[in-house]
């Protein structure tokens, strides 16, 4: 009973300040509305930055860019603001200015309601019987913005307990286009291998996608907060949101193309990429999707926080977090430090074990160690999304999950590459045999 009361209290705090009656619908030049679906697909304290990024964007859209709150649909696990490790209970800060971005955020779907299927149902405008029930009610005159932030792998975007596969997303996007669910759609996607989800996106669907990474690489976390021991943001997300704020309140002065080129230049280590319609949407001002900003003073940086600017590949953030925490616990709690040491050793050993399992799977499928080397060299394009889905779903269910072992995303392309030459049945059989033996 106490858990129910606490959960209700957290939800009440999350939605405070929501007054749909006072929000006037902003019209696009085509006479439609601007809609947004924003998703933080992870959970757990070490993934702090994902919910921080989404909360920051929520305020940019609703408070500064004038998009009605009921037009912004938010999916977020909501385990950060009141996490036991949070020294500032009820507060989430973002790297751009170090101020609370949690207060006033209306979270439509949280906890176990943050699922791939709910996300896809929202995009299709279906009624949901969970959460707020809010769904995308866009039509042929409306513009739609989607922001997704989480872990990723070839042909996959992560959710707290499950994965969104390329095959399923492609089917829904085709449905949206064929049923006139939007006039134009624009995505910002922060995830490793995010380019693999959109590399084959048709340029004729009135849709453009800007990703933090191409189809072959990780994205990166930035701005480590020494006080709370986590990263506050992702590098690419900070860059595009900072670029947007620089143009306040005149978002019509910068086009999608201009922002992409600036952010691509500013984003180090990963290669920011863009897919889909690079002719018409490319020339649209960012205000088409982000709204027309209200005149407001730009927030000043909070210089009081001890923030270290460093970059870590997203799959390696969890292990880094555990090592940092162990270092702090050595002097404070030797028993906890010993527990963390065991956890760190487990994950280091498991990372090596996963690589060996993948070699054995490739050897069984190809029948040749020489071919194992070929398929392990680098990520290939995903030619058979259904095979990719079936194989990775089997690996996650029978071997290791990317949510609890995020470092495995660095090696999963060795499985997905096999789909370009071998049947899913053959690969799935090898996965089942090797995972059951381990």
């Amino acid at each position: 009973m106490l858990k129910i009361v606490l959960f209700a209290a957290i939800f009440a705090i999350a939605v405070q300040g929501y007054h749909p009656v006072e929000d006037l619908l902003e019209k696009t030049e085509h006479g439609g509305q601007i809609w947004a679906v924003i998703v933080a697909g992870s959970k757990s304290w070490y993934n702090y930055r994902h919910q921080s990024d989404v909360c920051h964007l929520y305020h940019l859209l609703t408070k500064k860019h004038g998009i009605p709150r009921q037009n912004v649909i938010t999916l977020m696990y909501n385990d950060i603001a009141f996490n036991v490790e949070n020294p500032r209970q009820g507060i989430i800060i973002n790297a751009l200015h170090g101020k609370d971005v949690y207060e006033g955020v209306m979270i439509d779907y949280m906890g176990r309601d943050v699922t791939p299927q709910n996300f896809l149902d929202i995009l299709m405008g279906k009624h949901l019987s969970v959460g707020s029930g809010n769904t995308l009610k866009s039509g042929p005159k409306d513009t739609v913005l989607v922001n997704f932030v989480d872990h990723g792998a070839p042909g996959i975007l992560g959710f707290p307990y499950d994965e969104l596969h390329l095959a399923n997303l492609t089917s829904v996007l085709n449905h949206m286009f064929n049923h006139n669910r939007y006039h134009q759609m624009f995505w910002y996607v922060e995830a490793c291998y995010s380019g693999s989800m959109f590399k084959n996106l048709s340029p004729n669907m009135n849709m453009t996608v800007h990703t933090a990474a191409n189809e072959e690489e990780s994205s990166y976390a930035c701005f480590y907060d020494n006080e709370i021991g986590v990263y506050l943001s992702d590098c690419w997300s900070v860059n595009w949101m900072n670029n947007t704020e620089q143009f306040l309140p005149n978002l019509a002065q910068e086009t999608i193309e201009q922002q992409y080129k600036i952010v691509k230049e500013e984003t180090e280590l990963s290669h920011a990429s863009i897919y889909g319609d690079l002719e018409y949407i490319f020339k649209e001002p960012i205000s088409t999707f982000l709204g027309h900003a209200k005149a407001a003073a730009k927030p000043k940086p909070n210089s009081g926080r001890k923030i270290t600017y460093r970059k870590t590949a997203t799959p390696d953030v969890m292990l880094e977090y555990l090592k940092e925490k162990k270092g702090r616990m050595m002097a404070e709690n030797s028993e906890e430090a010993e527990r963390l040491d065991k956890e760190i050793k487990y994950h280091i050993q498991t990372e090596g074990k996963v690589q060996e399992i993948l070699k054995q799977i490739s050897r069984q499928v190809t029948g040749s160690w020489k071919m194992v080397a070929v398929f392990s060299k680098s990520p290939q394009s995903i030619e058979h999304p259904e095979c990719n889905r079936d194989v990775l779903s089997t690996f996650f269910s029978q071997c290791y999950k990317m949510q609890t072992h995020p470092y495995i995303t660095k090696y999963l392309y060795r499985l997905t590459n096999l789909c370009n030459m071998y049947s899913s049945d053959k690969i799935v059989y090898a996965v089942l045999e090797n995972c059951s033996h381990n």
Side-chain angles (χ1 to χ4, degrees), residues 186 208 210 254-263 274 278-279 281-286:
F186 183 64
T208 301
H210 189 181
E254 184 180 49
T255 65
I256 296 292
E257 178 183 16
Q258 290 169 331
Q259 182 182 73
Y260 163 68
K261 290 181 177 179
I262 292 170
V263 172
I274 199 157
L278 303 184
E279 184 175 357
I281 294 180
F282 220 34
K283 306 300 181 183
E284 289 281 354
I286 59 176

mmCIF file with all atom_site columns, all heavy atoms in Angstrom, residues 186 208 210 254-263 274 278-279 281-286:
data_model
loop_
_atom_site.group_PDB
_atom_site.id
_atom_site.type_symbol
_atom_site.label_atom_id
_atom_site.label_alt_id
_atom_site.label_comp_id
_atom_site.label_asym_id
_atom_site.label_entity_id
_atom_site.label_seq_id
_atom_site.pdbx_PDB_ins_code
_atom_site.Cartn_x
_atom_site.Cartn_y
_atom_site.Cartn_z
_atom_site.occupancy
_atom_site.B_iso_or_equiv
_atom_site.pdbx_formal_charge
_atom_site.auth_seq_id
_atom_site.auth_comp_id
_atom_site.auth_asym_id
_atom_site.auth_atom_id
_atom_site.pdbx_PDB_model_num
ATOM 1   N N   . PHE A 1 186 ? 10.137 14.518 -38.143 1.00 0.00 ? 186 PHE A N   1
ATOM 2   C CA  . PHE A 1 186 ? 11.574 14.664 -37.912 1.00 0.00 ? 186 PHE A CA  1
ATOM 3   C C   . PHE A 1 186 ? 11.947 13.972 -36.608 1.00 0.00 ? 186 PHE A C   1
ATOM 4   O O   . PHE A 1 186 ? 11.243 14.087 -35.605 1.00 0.00 ? 186 PHE A O   1
ATOM 5   C CB  . PHE A 1 186 ? 11.943 16.148 -37.854 1.00 0.00 ? 186 PHE A CB  1
ATOM 6   C CG  . PHE A 1 186 ? 13.417 16.401 -37.681 1.00 0.00 ? 186 PHE A CG  1
ATOM 7   C CD1 . PHE A 1 186 ? 14.315 16.021 -38.666 1.00 0.00 ? 186 PHE A CD1 1
ATOM 8   C CD2 . PHE A 1 186 ? 13.902 17.021 -36.538 1.00 0.00 ? 186 PHE A CD2 1
ATOM 9   C CE1 . PHE A 1 186 ? 15.679 16.241 -38.521 1.00 0.00 ? 186 PHE A CE1 1
ATOM 10  C CE2 . PHE A 1 186 ? 15.253 17.256 -36.381 1.00 0.00 ? 186 PHE A CE2 1
ATOM 11  C CZ  . PHE A 1 186 ? 16.152 16.864 -37.375 1.00 0.00 ? 186 PHE A CZ  1
ATOM 12  N N   . THR A 1 208 ? 12.648 12.810 -41.973 1.00 0.00 ? 208 THR A N   1
ATOM 13  C CA  . THR A 1 208 ? 14.094 12.953 -41.857 1.00 0.00 ? 208 THR A CA  1
ATOM 14  C C   . THR A 1 208 ? 14.515 12.564 -40.445 1.00 0.00 ? 208 THR A C   1
ATOM 15  O O   . THR A 1 208 ? 13.812 12.869 -39.480 1.00 0.00 ? 208 THR A O   1
ATOM 16  C CB  . THR A 1 208 ? 14.537 14.393 -42.145 1.00 0.00 ? 208 THR A CB  1
ATOM 17  O OG1 . THR A 1 208 ? 14.112 14.759 -43.470 1.00 0.00 ? 208 THR A OG1 1
ATOM 18  C CG2 . THR A 1 208 ? 16.048 14.545 -42.058 1.00 0.00 ? 208 THR A CG2 1
ATOM 19  N N   . HIS A 1 210 ? 17.822 12.511 -37.725 1.00 0.00 ? 210 HIS A N   1
ATOM 20  C CA  . HIS A 1 210 ? 19.171 12.932 -37.327 1.00 0.00 ? 210 HIS A CA  1
ATOM 21  C C   . HIS A 1 210 ? 19.607 12.021 -36.189 1.00 0.00 ? 210 HIS A C   1
ATOM 22  O O   . HIS A 1 210 ? 18.914 11.927 -35.172 1.00 0.00 ? 210 HIS A O   1
ATOM 23  C CB  . HIS A 1 210 ? 19.138 14.401 -36.878 1.00 0.00 ? 210 HIS A CB  1
ATOM 24  C CG  . HIS A 1 210 ? 20.484 15.008 -36.655 1.00 0.00 ? 210 HIS A CG  1
ATOM 25  N ND1 . HIS A 1 210 ? 20.651 16.304 -36.225 1.00 0.00 ? 210 HIS A ND1 1
ATOM 26  C CD2 . HIS A 1 210 ? 21.733 14.516 -36.802 1.00 0.00 ? 210 HIS A CD2 1
ATOM 27  C CE1 . HIS A 1 210 ? 21.933 16.579 -36.111 1.00 0.00 ? 210 HIS A CE1 1
ATOM 28  N NE2 . HIS A 1 210 ? 22.612 15.502 -36.457 1.00 0.00 ? 210 HIS A NE2 1
ATOM 29  N N   . GLU A 1 254 ? 17.348 29.148 -38.514 1.00 0.00 ? 254 GLU A N   1
ATOM 30  C CA  . GLU A 1 254 ? 18.240 28.026 -38.799 1.00 0.00 ? 254 GLU A CA  1
ATOM 31  C C   . GLU A 1 254 ? 17.451 26.874 -39.401 1.00 0.00 ? 254 GLU A C   1
ATOM 32  O O   . GLU A 1 254 ? 16.367 26.534 -38.926 1.00 0.00 ? 254 GLU A O   1
ATOM 33  C CB  . GLU A 1 254 ? 18.946 27.561 -37.520 1.00 0.00 ? 254 GLU A CB  1
ATOM 34  C CG  . GLU A 1 254 ? 19.963 26.448 -37.784 1.00 0.00 ? 254 GLU A CG  1
ATOM 35  C CD  . GLU A 1 254 ? 20.651 25.994 -36.504 1.00 0.00 ? 254 GLU A CD  1
ATOM 36  O OE1 . GLU A 1 254 ? 19.947 25.730 -35.504 1.00 0.00 ? 254 GLU A OE1 1
ATOM 37  O OE2 . GLU A 1 254 ? 21.890 25.887 -36.497 1.00 0.00 ? 254 GLU A OE2 1
ATOM 38  N N   . THR A 1 255 ? 17.995 26.259 -40.435 1.00 0.00 ? 255 THR A N   1
ATOM 39  C CA  . THR A 1 255 ? 17.326 25.123 -41.071 1.00 0.00 ? 255 THR A CA  1
ATOM 40  C C   . THR A 1 255 ? 17.820 23.802 -40.477 1.00 0.00 ? 255 THR A C   1
ATOM 41  O O   . THR A 1 255 ? 18.846 23.756 -39.782 1.00 0.00 ? 255 THR A O   1
ATOM 42  C CB  . THR A 1 255 ? 17.594 25.097 -42.581 1.00 0.00 ? 255 THR A CB  1
ATOM 43  O OG1 . THR A 1 255 ? 19.000 24.862 -42.803 1.00 0.00 ? 255 THR A OG1 1
ATOM 44  C CG2 . THR A 1 255 ? 17.181 26.413 -43.236 1.00 0.00 ? 255 THR A CG2 1
ATOM 45  N N   . ILE A 1 256 ? 17.097 22.734 -40.780 1.00 0.00 ? 256 ILE A N   1
ATOM 46  C CA  . ILE A 1 256 ? 17.507 21.395 -40.369 1.00 0.00 ? 256 ILE A CA  1
ATOM 47  C C   . ILE A 1 256 ? 18.909 21.094 -40.901 1.00 0.00 ? 256 ILE A C   1
ATOM 48  O O   . ILE A 1 256 ? 19.758 20.550 -40.193 1.00 0.00 ? 256 ILE A O   1
ATOM 49  C CB  . ILE A 1 256 ? 16.511 20.334 -40.891 1.00 0.00 ? 256 ILE A CB  1
ATOM 50  C CG1 . ILE A 1 256 ? 15.120 20.541 -40.271 1.00 0.00 ? 256 ILE A CG1 1
ATOM 51  C CG2 . ILE A 1 256 ? 17.032 18.934 -40.627 1.00 0.00 ? 256 ILE A CG2 1
ATOM 52  C CD1 . ILE A 1 256 ? 15.026 20.275 -38.803 1.00 0.00 ? 256 ILE A CD1 1
ATOM 53  N N   . GLU A 1 257 ? 19.152 21.460 -42.146 1.00 0.00 ? 257 GLU A N   1
ATOM 54  C CA  . GLU A 1 257 ? 20.459 21.224 -42.761 1.00 0.00 ? 257 GLU A CA  1
ATOM 55  C C   . GLU A 1 257 ? 21.562 21.975 -42.032 1.00 0.00 ? 257 GLU A C   1
ATOM 56  O O   . GLU A 1 257 ? 22.633 21.409 -41.744 1.00 0.00 ? 257 GLU A O   1
ATOM 57  C CB  . GLU A 1 257 ? 20.432 21.652 -44.235 1.00 0.00 ? 257 GLU A CB  1
ATOM 58  C CG  . GLU A 1 257 ? 21.775 21.474 -44.937 1.00 0.00 ? 257 GLU A CG  1
ATOM 59  C CD  . GLU A 1 257 ? 21.750 21.972 -46.374 1.00 0.00 ? 257 GLU A CD  1
ATOM 60  O OE1 . GLU A 1 257 ? 20.813 22.724 -46.732 1.00 0.00 ? 257 GLU A OE1 1
ATOM 61  O OE2 . GLU A 1 257 ? 22.656 21.604 -47.139 1.00 0.00 ? 257 GLU A OE2 1
ATOM 62  N N   . GLN A 1 258 ? 21.319 23.242 -41.728 1.00 0.00 ? 258 GLN A N   1
ATOM 63  C CA  . GLN A 1 258 ? 22.339 24.034 -41.043 1.00 0.00 ? 258 GLN A CA  1
ATOM 64  C C   . GLN A 1 258 ? 22.648 23.473 -39.659 1.00 0.00 ? 258 GLN A C   1
ATOM 65  O O   . GLN A 1 258 ? 23.807 23.364 -39.263 1.00 0.00 ? 258 GLN A O   1
ATOM 66  C CB  . GLN A 1 258 ? 21.873 25.487 -40.942 1.00 0.00 ? 258 GLN A CB  1
ATOM 67  C CG  . GLN A 1 258 ? 21.856 26.219 -42.273 1.00 0.00 ? 258 GLN A CG  1
ATOM 68  C CD  . GLN A 1 258 ? 21.137 27.561 -42.197 1.00 0.00 ? 258 GLN A CD  1
ATOM 69  O OE1 . GLN A 1 258 ? 20.224 27.743 -41.393 1.00 0.00 ? 258 GLN A OE1 1
ATOM 70  N NE2 . GLN A 1 258 ? 21.554 28.497 -43.045 1.00 0.00 ? 258 GLN A NE2 1
ATOM 71  N N   . GLN A 1 259 ? 21.592 23.102 -38.927 1.00 0.00 ? 259 GLN A N   1
ATOM 72  C CA  . GLN A 1 259 ? 21.826 22.546 -37.599 1.00 0.00 ? 259 GLN A CA  1
ATOM 73  C C   . GLN A 1 259 ? 22.594 21.231 -37.690 1.00 0.00 ? 259 GLN A C   1
ATOM 74  O O   . GLN A 1 259 ? 23.523 20.998 -36.913 1.00 0.00 ? 259 GLN A O   1
ATOM 75  C CB  . GLN A 1 259 ? 20.508 22.319 -36.860 1.00 0.00 ? 259 GLN A CB  1
ATOM 76  C CG  . GLN A 1 259 ? 20.725 21.793 -35.441 1.00 0.00 ? 259 GLN A CG  1
ATOM 77  C CD  . GLN A 1 259 ? 19.449 21.506 -34.702 1.00 0.00 ? 259 GLN A CD  1
ATOM 78  O OE1 . GLN A 1 259 ? 18.762 20.533 -34.997 1.00 0.00 ? 259 GLN A OE1 1
ATOM 79  N NE2 . GLN A 1 259 ? 19.112 22.345 -33.723 1.00 0.00 ? 259 GLN A NE2 1
ATOM 80  N N   . TYR A 1 260 ? 22.205 20.397 -38.636 1.00 0.00 ? 260 TYR A N   1
ATOM 81  C CA  . TYR A 1 260 ? 22.892 19.114 -38.794 1.00 0.00 ? 260 TYR A CA  1
ATOM 82  C C   . TYR A 1 260 ? 24.388 19.318 -39.039 1.00 0.00 ? 260 TYR A C   1
ATOM 83  O O   . TYR A 1 260 ? 25.224 18.650 -38.407 1.00 0.00 ? 260 TYR A O   1
ATOM 84  C CB  . TYR A 1 260 ? 22.278 18.320 -39.941 1.00 0.00 ? 260 TYR A CB  1
ATOM 85  C CG  . TYR A 1 260 ? 23.165 17.192 -40.427 1.00 0.00 ? 260 TYR A CG  1
ATOM 86  C CD1 . TYR A 1 260 ? 23.421 16.089 -39.616 1.00 0.00 ? 260 TYR A CD1 1
ATOM 87  C CD2 . TYR A 1 260 ? 23.776 17.247 -41.685 1.00 0.00 ? 260 TYR A CD2 1
ATOM 88  C CE1 . TYR A 1 260 ? 24.240 15.064 -40.050 1.00 0.00 ? 260 TYR A CE1 1
ATOM 89  C CE2 . TYR A 1 260 ? 24.596 16.226 -42.116 1.00 0.00 ? 260 TYR A CE2 1
ATOM 90  C CZ  . TYR A 1 260 ? 24.836 15.131 -41.293 1.00 0.00 ? 260 TYR A CZ  1
ATOM 91  O OH  . TYR A 1 260 ? 25.661 14.128 -41.714 1.00 0.00 ? 260 TYR A OH  1
ATOM 92  N N   . LYS A 1 261 ? 24.738 20.219 -39.907 1.00 0.00 ? 261 LYS A N   1
ATOM 93  C CA  . LYS A 1 261 ? 26.155 20.439 -40.235 1.00 0.00 ? 261 LYS A CA  1
ATOM 94  C C   . LYS A 1 261 ? 26.924 20.990 -39.043 1.00 0.00 ? 261 LYS A C   1
ATOM 95  O O   . LYS A 1 261 ? 28.081 20.600 -38.798 1.00 0.00 ? 261 LYS A O   1
ATOM 96  C CB  . LYS A 1 261 ? 26.268 21.384 -41.438 1.00 0.00 ? 261 LYS A CB  1
ATOM 97  C CG  . LYS A 1 261 ? 25.815 20.744 -42.748 1.00 0.00 ? 261 LYS A CG  1
ATOM 98  C CD  . LYS A 1 261 ? 25.954 21.695 -43.922 1.00 0.00 ? 261 LYS A CD  1
ATOM 99  C CE  . LYS A 1 261 ? 25.559 21.016 -45.230 1.00 0.00 ? 261 LYS A CE  1
ATOM 100 N NZ  . LYS A 1 261 ? 25.659 21.940 -46.393 1.00 0.00 ? 261 LYS A NZ  1
ATOM 101 N N   . ILE A 1 262 ? 26.309 21.876 -38.287 1.00 0.00 ? 262 ILE A N   1
ATOM 102 C CA  . ILE A 1 262 ? 26.959 22.442 -37.101 1.00 0.00 ? 262 ILE A CA  1
ATOM 103 C C   . ILE A 1 262 ? 27.167 21.365 -36.038 1.00 0.00 ? 262 ILE A C   1
ATOM 104 O O   . ILE A 1 262 ? 28.258 21.210 -35.473 1.00 0.00 ? 262 ILE A O   1
ATOM 105 C CB  . ILE A 1 262 ? 26.128 23.607 -36.527 1.00 0.00 ? 262 ILE A CB  1
ATOM 106 C CG1 . ILE A 1 262 ? 26.145 24.797 -37.485 1.00 0.00 ? 262 ILE A CG1 1
ATOM 107 C CG2 . ILE A 1 262 ? 26.663 24.026 -35.151 1.00 0.00 ? 262 ILE A CG2 1
ATOM 108 C CD1 . ILE A 1 262 ? 25.169 25.896 -37.113 1.00 0.00 ? 262 ILE A CD1 1
ATOM 109 N N   . VAL A 1 263 ? 26.107 20.611 -35.763 1.00 0.00 ? 263 VAL A N   1
ATOM 110 C CA  . VAL A 1 263 ? 26.173 19.586 -34.722 1.00 0.00 ? 263 VAL A CA  1
ATOM 111 C C   . VAL A 1 263 ? 27.118 18.459 -35.121 1.00 0.00 ? 263 VAL A C   1
ATOM 112 O O   . VAL A 1 263 ? 27.855 17.920 -34.285 1.00 0.00 ? 263 VAL A O   1
ATOM 113 C CB  . VAL A 1 263 ? 24.754 19.041 -34.420 1.00 0.00 ? 263 VAL A CB  1
ATOM 114 C CG1 . VAL A 1 263 ? 24.821 17.844 -33.479 1.00 0.00 ? 263 VAL A CG1 1
ATOM 115 C CG2 . VAL A 1 263 ? 23.889 20.140 -33.818 1.00 0.00 ? 263 VAL A CG2 1
ATOM 116 N N   . ILE A 1 274 ? 22.488 11.679 -40.923 1.00 0.00 ? 274 ILE A N   1
ATOM 117 C CA  . ILE A 1 274 ? 21.121 12.081 -41.246 1.00 0.00 ? 274 ILE A CA  1
ATOM 118 C C   . ILE A 1 274 ? 20.592 11.220 -42.396 1.00 0.00 ? 274 ILE A C   1
ATOM 119 O O   . ILE A 1 274 ? 21.346 10.854 -43.314 1.00 0.00 ? 274 ILE A O   1
ATOM 120 C CB  . ILE A 1 274 ? 21.052 13.586 -41.582 1.00 0.00 ? 274 ILE A CB  1
ATOM 121 C CG1 . ILE A 1 274 ? 19.619 14.110 -41.457 1.00 0.00 ? 274 ILE A CG1 1
ATOM 122 C CG2 . ILE A 1 274 ? 21.679 13.900 -42.924 1.00 0.00 ? 274 ILE A CG2 1
ATOM 123 C CD1 . ILE A 1 274 ? 19.537 15.603 -41.235 1.00 0.00 ? 274 ILE A CD1 1
ATOM 124 N N   . LEU A 1 278 ? 16.266 14.424 -47.716 1.00 0.00 ? 278 LEU A N   1
ATOM 125 C CA  . LEU A 1 278 ? 17.334 15.425 -47.616 1.00 0.00 ? 278 LEU A CA  1
ATOM 126 C C   . LEU A 1 278 ? 17.156 16.516 -48.666 1.00 0.00 ? 278 LEU A C   1
ATOM 127 O O   . LEU A 1 278 ? 18.109 17.190 -49.052 1.00 0.00 ? 278 LEU A O   1
ATOM 128 C CB  . LEU A 1 278 ? 18.699 14.747 -47.780 1.00 0.00 ? 278 LEU A CB  1
ATOM 129 C CG  . LEU A 1 278 ? 19.003 13.613 -46.788 1.00 0.00 ? 278 LEU A CG  1
ATOM 130 C CD1 . LEU A 1 278 ? 20.412 13.094 -46.984 1.00 0.00 ? 278 LEU A CD1 1
ATOM 131 C CD2 . LEU A 1 278 ? 18.788 14.065 -45.356 1.00 0.00 ? 278 LEU A CD2 1
ATOM 132 N N   . GLU A 1 279 ? 15.927 16.696 -49.106 1.00 0.00 ? 279 GLU A N   1
ATOM 133 C CA  . GLU A 1 279 ? 15.640 17.735 -50.091 1.00 0.00 ? 279 GLU A CA  1
ATOM 134 C C   . GLU A 1 279 ? 14.689 18.790 -49.536 1.00 0.00 ? 279 GLU A C   1
ATOM 135 O O   . GLU A 1 279 ? 15.029 19.980 -49.479 1.00 0.00 ? 279 GLU A O   1
ATOM 136 C CB  . GLU A 1 279 ? 15.034 17.111 -51.355 1.00 0.00 ? 279 GLU A CB  1
ATOM 137 C CG  . GLU A 1 279 ? 14.791 18.128 -52.469 1.00 0.00 ? 279 GLU A CG  1
ATOM 138 C CD  . GLU A 1 279 ? 14.315 17.475 -53.746 1.00 0.00 ? 279 GLU A CD  1
ATOM 139 O OE1 . GLU A 1 279 ? 14.215 16.224 -53.792 1.00 0.00 ? 279 GLU A OE1 1
ATOM 140 O OE2 . GLU A 1 279 ? 14.030 18.213 -54.716 1.00 0.00 ? 279 GLU A OE2 1
ATOM 141 N N   . ILE A 1 281 ? 12.601 18.587 -46.300 1.00 0.00 ? 281 ILE A N   1
ATOM 142 C CA  . ILE A 1 281 ? 12.713 18.805 -44.854 1.00 0.00 ? 281 ILE A CA  1
ATOM 143 C C   . ILE A 1 281 ? 14.070 19.387 -44.506 1.00 0.00 ? 281 ILE A C   1
ATOM 144 O O   . ILE A 1 281 ? 14.202 20.193 -43.580 1.00 0.00 ? 281 ILE A O   1
ATOM 145 C CB  . ILE A 1 281 ? 12.458 17.490 -44.087 1.00 0.00 ? 281 ILE A CB  1
ATOM 146 C CG1 . ILE A 1 281 ? 11.009 17.051 -44.267 1.00 0.00 ? 281 ILE A CG1 1
ATOM 147 C CG2 . ILE A 1 281 ? 12.776 17.645 -42.595 1.00 0.00 ? 281 ILE A CG2 1
ATOM 148 C CD1 . ILE A 1 281 ? 10.644 15.772 -43.547 1.00 0.00 ? 281 ILE A CD1 1
ATOM 149 N N   . PHE A 1 282 ? 15.077 19.005 -45.247 1.00 0.00 ? 282 PHE A N   1
ATOM 150 C CA  . PHE A 1 282 ? 16.436 19.516 -45.022 1.00 0.00 ? 282 PHE A CA  1
ATOM 151 C C   . PHE A 1 282 ? 16.451 21.047 -45.021 1.00 0.00 ? 282 PHE A C   1
ATOM 152 O O   . PHE A 1 282 ? 17.252 21.667 -44.324 1.00 0.00 ? 282 PHE A O   1
ATOM 153 C CB  . PHE A 1 282 ? 17.341 18.980 -46.130 1.00 0.00 ? 282 PHE A CB  1
ATOM 154 C CG  . PHE A 1 282 ? 18.701 18.563 -45.645 1.00 0.00 ? 282 PHE A CG  1
ATOM 155 C CD1 . PHE A 1 282 ? 18.888 18.012 -44.386 1.00 0.00 ? 282 PHE A CD1 1
ATOM 156 C CD2 . PHE A 1 282 ? 19.811 18.710 -46.470 1.00 0.00 ? 282 PHE A CD2 1
ATOM 157 C CE1 . PHE A 1 282 ? 20.154 17.617 -43.960 1.00 0.00 ? 282 PHE A CE1 1
ATOM 158 C CE2 . PHE A 1 282 ? 21.074 18.316 -46.056 1.00 0.00 ? 282 PHE A CE2 1
ATOM 159 C CZ  . PHE A 1 282 ? 21.240 17.769 -44.793 1.00 0.00 ? 282 PHE A CZ  1
ATOM 160 N N   . LYS A 1 283 ? 15.586 21.657 -45.819 1.00 0.00 ? 283 LYS A N   1
ATOM 161 C CA  . LYS A 1 283 ? 15.563 23.111 -45.951 1.00 0.00 ? 283 LYS A CA  1
ATOM 162 C C   . LYS A 1 283 ? 14.570 23.787 -45.008 1.00 0.00 ? 283 LYS A C   1
ATOM 163 O O   . LYS A 1 283 ? 14.480 25.012 -44.974 1.00 0.00 ? 283 LYS A O   1
ATOM 164 C CB  . LYS A 1 283 ? 15.221 23.497 -47.398 1.00 0.00 ? 283 LYS A CB  1
ATOM 165 C CG  . LYS A 1 283 ? 16.132 22.861 -48.450 1.00 0.00 ? 283 LYS A CG  1
ATOM 166 C CD  . LYS A 1 283 ? 17.589 23.253 -48.256 1.00 0.00 ? 283 LYS A CD  1
ATOM 167 C CE  . LYS A 1 283 ? 18.470 22.622 -49.334 1.00 0.00 ? 283 LYS A CE  1
ATOM 168 N NZ  . LYS A 1 283 ? 19.911 22.927 -49.121 1.00 0.00 ? 283 LYS A NZ  1
ATOM 169 N N   . GLU A 1 284 ? 13.819 22.987 -44.255 1.00 0.00 ? 284 GLU A N   1
ATOM 170 C CA  . GLU A 1 284 ? 12.854 23.557 -43.321 1.00 0.00 ? 284 GLU A CA  1
ATOM 171 C C   . GLU A 1 284 ? 13.557 24.182 -42.125 1.00 0.00 ? 284 GLU A C   1
ATOM 172 O O   . GLU A 1 284 ? 14.581 23.676 -41.653 1.00 0.00 ? 284 GLU A O   1
ATOM 173 C CB  . GLU A 1 284 ? 11.897 22.462 -42.805 1.00 0.00 ? 284 GLU A CB  1
ATOM 174 C CG  . GLU A 1 284 ? 10.915 21.947 -43.822 1.00 0.00 ? 284 GLU A CG  1
ATOM 175 C CD  . GLU A 1 284 ? 9.726  22.875 -44.019 1.00 0.00 ? 284 GLU A CD  1
ATOM 176 O OE1 . GLU A 1 284 ? 9.609  23.875 -43.278 1.00 0.00 ? 284 GLU A OE1 1
ATOM 177 O OE2 . GLU A 1 284 ? 8.919  22.595 -44.923 1.00 0.00 ? 284 GLU A OE2 1
ATOM 178 N N   . PRO A 1 285 ? 13.034 25.286 -41.591 1.00 0.00 ? 285 PRO A N   1
ATOM 179 C CA  . PRO A 1 285 ? 13.586 25.821 -40.345 1.00 0.00 ? 285 PRO A CA  1
ATOM 180 C C   . PRO A 1 285 ? 13.302 24.864 -39.192 1.00 0.00 ? 285 PRO A C   1
ATOM 181 O O   . PRO A 1 285 ? 12.297 24.135 -39.220 1.00 0.00 ? 285 PRO A O   1
ATOM 182 C CB  . PRO A 1 285 ? 12.844 27.144 -40.164 1.00 0.00 ? 285 PRO A CB  1
ATOM 183 C CG  . PRO A 1 285 ? 11.573 26.975 -40.926 1.00 0.00 ? 285 PRO A CG  1
ATOM 184 C CD  . PRO A 1 285 ? 11.908 26.097 -42.093 1.00 0.00 ? 285 PRO A CD  1
ATOM 185 N N   . ILE A 1 286 ? 14.167 24.850 -38.200 1.00 0.00 ? 286 ILE A N   1
ATOM 186 C CA  . ILE A 1 286 ? 13.958 23.926 -37.084 1.00 0.00 ? 286 ILE A CA  1
ATOM 187 C C   . ILE A 1 286 ? 12.670 24.257 -36.322 1.00 0.00 ? 286 ILE A C   1
ATOM 188 O O   . ILE A 1 286 ? 12.111 23.400 -35.641 1.00 0.00 ? 286 ILE A O   1
ATOM 189 C CB  . ILE A 1 286 ? 15.169 23.921 -36.125 1.00 0.00 ? 286 ILE A CB  1
ATOM 190 C CG1 . ILE A 1 286 ? 15.443 25.319 -35.553 1.00 0.00 ? 286 ILE A CG1 1
ATOM 191 C CG2 . ILE A 1 286 ? 16.397 23.360 -36.811 1.00 0.00 ? 286 ILE A CG2 1
ATOM 192 C CD1 . ILE A 1 286 ? 16.566 25.329 -34.536 1.00 0.00 ? 286 ILE A CD1 1
#
